Amino acid sequence: EFNEEVEYIIVGPTEADPFENKISNESPVGRSLVGHKVDEIIKVEVPDGFAEYKILEVSKPENI
């Protein structure tokens, strides 16, 4: 619906902070994105129904 580009950082549950776009790997969106590749479209059930996400890029933080 919105066609906006958002960068998410997938982190553990204790590091999650939605104000910094850090989502938990245990959240519905985080769990759905893990393990997928660039250009895949993922459909995720959210409180308002379903949302689709297209993976544009996957990267690993430099400090790991």
Side-chain angles (χ1 to χ4, degrees), residues 10-11 13 16 22-34 44:
I10 300 174
V11 297
K22 293 180 178 180
I23 59 172
S24 168
N25 61 334
E26 295 179 0
S27 71
V29 174
R31 193 171 45 247
S32 296
L33 292 172
V34 170
V44 180

Side-chain angles (χ1 to χ4, degrees), residues 10-63:
I10 300 174
V11 297
T14 59
E15 300 169 282
D17 184 347
F19 296 108
E20 293 185 17
N21 288 348
K22 293 180 178 180
I23 59 172
S24 168
N25 61 334
E26 295 179 0
S27 71
V29 174
R31 193 171 45 247
S32 296
L33 292 172
V34 170
H36 290 278
K37 298 176 182 169
V38 172
D39 289 330
E40 285 190 70
I41 297 175
I42 310 303
K43 191 172 185 179
V44 180
E45 188 170 2
V46 294
D48 294 341
F50 285 91
E52 286 189 353
Y53 295 88
K54 181 174 183 181
I55 300 173
L56 303 175
E57 179 181 347
V58 176
S59 62
K60 186 183 239 184
E62 293 179 21
N63 60 353

